[in-house]
């Protein structure tokens, strides 16, 4: 059976599953809405609104992820830690897209592989929190859980969960998707003109000269191929682009879960590639129950507390038929724990011969408080975890097939270190995140270059 045929093998929706069956399970990280009737009205309204993505886009992504599992592609997944309604602006969206396109150009040039581009946007409006309540000066209010749910201002009215915000979030997601699709279809990603992707503020970057050499090399290669073929390579004027978000707010996700004509099963049409966060990955929990019946490719964040037995049980529940392209495991251990915690998980999956896409998230395990109180991530730790992940996969005979990053196209100072050697004192210059610190442009580009160098240094071939 050929690889494309395997990607399309028949699996079936579990007989005991419905889009609402999660409601019989413990649902972690869900807001408490004061008006159940208002919530029900919003869920009904959402269920009748147009979807944000299509089933054929989802199946196309699943096929590409299956190829990434086989080492034929590399996944680049990145975007904001948490989107805000206020940031649904054309310049912010296009800059975010530029960063991902530039990173993918570096990866394509260096890895000699097609890159699967997945944005952490158009729905990343809900965030898990470590506590349900936040206290200041003796006043306790619900924690800010993302713009889908409430507002960040420390006021009772702002922090009260409001179901109507899901309607606003759906609209903002649709606007973002519409603009991204228009940019891509209009030639924004044209490999004939990668110089158009430049961000004005990064001309001073120590990496700019190396990147410009890559741009020139790609341009020369394109012109060479067109010269010998005698015609323009039209398939280089656009790029596939997909969306992802943590499917945290289950009432919203259920309302966007649909059946479509001429396809079997159920699709989450709020995004192409939903994932389960580390805090909601309980086998008995509502999120795993919801995810197990979807036809989308899905991912799970895997932290240092996960045991091999727990992991294999998750794999069995979420991909019992071992469908190619179905399941990705995003490990986020932290630079100090990855060497101890990751190998047993790699060995367990390899021994069972299960098909998964391994992705490294070097961000979330490396969050700390700086000396001046800012939440930050040190670039040296991000780089250290990513480099260690490549080495550990090579040693285990498995393949690291992608990276998952929190990043922005704006000139922020949220993660220390990197090409400009940002210090704790620099964090106050342009710290804009309302939740987690993000890589800025040049730090993101440095990560892409690091991936290329690290991959090229490893012994090939890898095991399938």
């Amino acid at each position: 059976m050929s690889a494309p045929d395997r990607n399309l093998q028949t699996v079936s929706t579990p007989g005991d599953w419905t889009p609402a069956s999660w409601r019989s399970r413990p649902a972690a990280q869900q807001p408490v809405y004061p008006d159940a009737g208002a919530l029900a009205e919003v869920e009904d309204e959402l269920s009748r609104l147009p979807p944000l993505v299509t089933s054929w886009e989802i199946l196309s992504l699943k096929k590409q992820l299956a190829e990434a599992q086989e080492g034929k592609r590399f996944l680049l997944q990145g975007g904001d830690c948490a989107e805000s309604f206020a940031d649904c602006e054309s310049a912010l969206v296009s800059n975010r897209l530029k960063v991902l396109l530039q990173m993918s150009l570096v990866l394509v040039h260096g890895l000699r592989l097609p890159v699967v581009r997945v944005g952490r946007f158009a729905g990343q409006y809900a965030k898990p929190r470590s506590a349900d309540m936040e206290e200041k000066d003796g006043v306790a209010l619900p924690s800010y859980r993302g713009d889908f749910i409430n507002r960040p201002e420390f006021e009772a009215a702002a922090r009260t969960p409001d179901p109507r915000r899901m309607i606003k979030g759906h609209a903002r997601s649709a606007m973002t998707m519409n603009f991204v699709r228009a940019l891509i279809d209009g030639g924004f990603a044209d490999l004939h003109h990668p110089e158009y992707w430049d961000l004005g503020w990064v001309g001073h970057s120590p990496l700019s000269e190396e990147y410009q050499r890559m741009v020139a090399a790609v341009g020369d290669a394109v012109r060479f191929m067109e010269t010998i073929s005698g015609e323009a390579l039209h398939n280089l004027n656009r790029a596939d682009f997909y969306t992802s978000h943590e499917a945290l707010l289950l009432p919203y996700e259920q309302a966007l879960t649909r059946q479509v004509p001429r396809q079997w099963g159920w699709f989450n049409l709020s995004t192409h590639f939903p994932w389960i966060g580390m805090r909601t990955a309980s086998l008995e929990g509502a999120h795993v129950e919801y995810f197990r019946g979807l036809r989308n490719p899905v991912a799970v964040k895997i932290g240092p507390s996960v045991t091999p037995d727990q992991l294999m049980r998750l794999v069995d529940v979420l991909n019992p038929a071992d469908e190619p392209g179905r399941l990705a495991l995003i490990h986020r251990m932290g630079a100090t724990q990855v060497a101890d915690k990751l190998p047993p998980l790699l060995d367990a999956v390899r021994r069972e011969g299960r098909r998964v896409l391994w992705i490294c998230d070097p961000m979330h395990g490396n969050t700390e408080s700086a000396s001046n109180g800012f939440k930050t991530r040190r670039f040296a730790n991000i780089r250290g975890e990513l480099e260690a992940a490549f080495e550990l996969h090579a040693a285990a005979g498995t393949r690291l097939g992608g990276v998952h990053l929190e990043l922005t196209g704006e000139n922020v100072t949220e993660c220390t270190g990197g090409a400009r050697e940002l210090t704790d004192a620099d964090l106050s210059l342009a710290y804009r995140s309302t939740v987690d610190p993000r890589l800025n442009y040049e730090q993101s580009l440095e990560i892409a270059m690091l991936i290329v160098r690290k991959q090229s240094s490893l012994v090939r071939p890898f095991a399938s």
Side-chain angles (χ1 to χ4, degrees):
M1 183 182 292
S2 68
D5 290 336
R6 289 201 307 273
N7 293 346
L8 297 176
Q9 72 184 52
T10 300
V11 294
S12 59
T13 301
D16 58 345
W17 184 91
T18 71
S21 58
W22 65 267
R23 295 179 183 269
S24 65
R25 303 288 186 91
Q29 296 288 334
Q30 301 303 291
V32 178
Y33 291 102
D35 187 340
L39 174 60
E41 289 177 4
V42 165
E43 291 179 290
D44 179 65
E45 183 176 347
L46 279 170
S47 70
R48 292 180 280 108
L49 290 177
L52 298 174
V53 302
T54 66
S55 61
W56 56 88
E57 291 171 337
I58 289 169
L59 294 176
S60 174
L61 174 61
K62 185 182 283 188
K63 188 173 182 180
Q64 291 188 27
L65 294 179
E67 292 171 355
Q69 288 176 348
E70 298 175 355
K72 298 176 182 177
R73 293 179 182 267
F74 190 85
L75 171 74
L76 172 63
Q77 184 176 11
D80 271 318
C81 58
E83 294 177 280
S84 70
F85 293 166
D87 286 345
C88 186
E89 299 179 1
S90 58
L92 295 177
V93 173
S94 60
N95 280 350
R96 195 183 301 140
L97 187 59
K98 285 179 183 179
V99 170
L100 291 169
L101 287 171
Q102 287 186 323
M103 292 179 71
S104 68
L105 179 65
V106 171
L107 295 173
V108 168
H109 180 268
L111 299 179
R112 301 295 192 263
L113 288 173
V115 171
V116 187
R117 303 167 185 87
V118 178
R120 242 183 92 112
F121 53 63
Q124 186 61 15
Y125 288 115
K127 289 291 288 183
R129 308 305 293 175
S130 56
D132 290 335
M133 303 296 290
E134 180 181 356
E135 185 172 334
K136 290 183 180 180
D137 300 324
V139 177
L141 293 175
S143 295
Y144 170 60
R145 290 186 172 275
D147 277 8
F148 253 152
I149 295 160
N150 52 10
R151 304 200 314 273
E153 299 85 10
F154 195 76
E155 302 167 355
R159 292 297 181 90
T160 301
D162 178 6
R164 296 299 305 175
R165 298 186 70 80
M166 286 189 276
I167 302 295
K168 193 171 184 178
H170 178 277
R172 290 296 194 278
S173 298
M175 293 176 204
T176 300
M177 280 299 302
N178 181 63
F179 187 48
V180 168
R181 284 189 171 112
L183 288 173
I184 296 296
D185 290 343
F188 186 81
D190 192 347
L191 273 180
H192 293 88
H193 300 287
E195 68 275 10
Y196 293 171
W197 308 341
D198 280 345
L199 294 159
W201 66 270
V202 297
H204 66 279
S205 171
L207 302 171
S208 61
E209 185 176 342
E210 184 176 357
Y211 175 71
Q212 291 303 327
R213 286 198 298 270
M214 292 183 188
V215 170
V218 170
D220 289 344
V222 169
R223 286 187 289 273
F224 174 75
M225 291 301 297
E226 291 183 335
T227 298
I228 63 174
S229 67
E231 58 184 27
L233 301 177
H234 297 294
N235 62 332
L236 297 180
N237 62 4
R238 69 181 312 279
D240 290 332
F241 217 94
Y242 302 97
T243 67
S244 64
H245 68 249
E246 180 178 357
L248 184 66
L249 187 56
L250 291 174
Y252 177 82
E253 305 300 337
Q254 179 188 331
L256 273 295
T257 302
R258 314 279 175 84
Q259 290 179 304
V260 300
R262 296 178 297 279
Q263 288 288 351
W264 62 269
W266 294 85
F267 294 85
N268 180 329
L269 299 181
S270 75
T271 188
H272 301 105
F273 190 26
W275 79 80
I276 303 175
M278 194 177 71
R279 290 186 178 97
T280 53
S282 167
L283 280 162
E284 293 76 29
H287 290 81
V288 171
E289 170 61 25
Y290 169 73
F291 269 66
R292 74 183 178 96
L294 299 176
R295 284 201 67 191
N296 301 60
V298 301
V300 186
K301 290 284 190 82
I302 304 299
S305 65
V306 175
T307 67
D309 179 65
Q310 289 172 329
L311 179 61
M312 294 314 302
R313 290 169 63 198
L314 268 175
V315 172
D316 287 340
V317 169
L318 292 173
N319 192 21
D322 202 30
E323 181 187 6
R326 159 66 177 175
L327 181 61
L329 300 177
I330 307 173
H331 51 76
R332 31 90 76 232
M333 303 294 173
T336 61
Q337 298 194 74
V338 63
D340 291 331
K341 300 297 185 179
L342 183 59
L345 305 181
L346 301 182
D347 291 342
V349 174
R350 181 184 52 78
R351 280 196 308 270
E352 295 295 326
R354 301 304 293 269
R355 280 184 284 209
V356 303
L357 176 62
W358 289 105
I359 302 170
C360 178
D361 171 1
M363 306 290 293
H364 284 86
N366 294 303
T367 307
E368 60 184 90
S369 292
S371 58
N372 50 8
F374 282 93
K375 183 192 285 189
T376 191
R377 290 159 174 158
R378 303 192 184 281
F379 189 83
N381 291 335
I382 296 169
R383 180 184 63 228
E385 179 167 358
L386 186 55
E387 289 183 330
F390 273 104
E391 293 168 0
L392 294 167
H393 277 278
T398 54
R399 179 184 294 109
L400 182 58
V403 64
H404 181 116
L405 303 167
E406 290 187 340
L407 54 83
T408 179
E410 305 311 301
N411 186 12
V412 301
T413 54
E414 296 172 1
C415 295
T416 58
R420 271 193 290 164
E421 299 181 344
L422 297 176
T423 66
D424 288 2
D426 294 320
L427 294 175
S428 62
L429 297 176
Y431 197 104
R432 299 173 189 164
S433 174
T434 58
V435 185
D436 289 335
R438 303 161 294 175
L439 299 170
N440 62 27
Y441 161 80
E442 56 193 358
Q443 291 168 332
S444 301
L445 201 59
E446 189 171 353
I447 286 291
M449 293 177 179
L450 180 152
I451 290 170
V452 169
R453 294 187 185 114
K454 195 64 186 178
Q455 182 78 306
S456 65
S457 73
L458 296 174
V459 178
R460 294 172 181 269
F462 294 114
S464 297

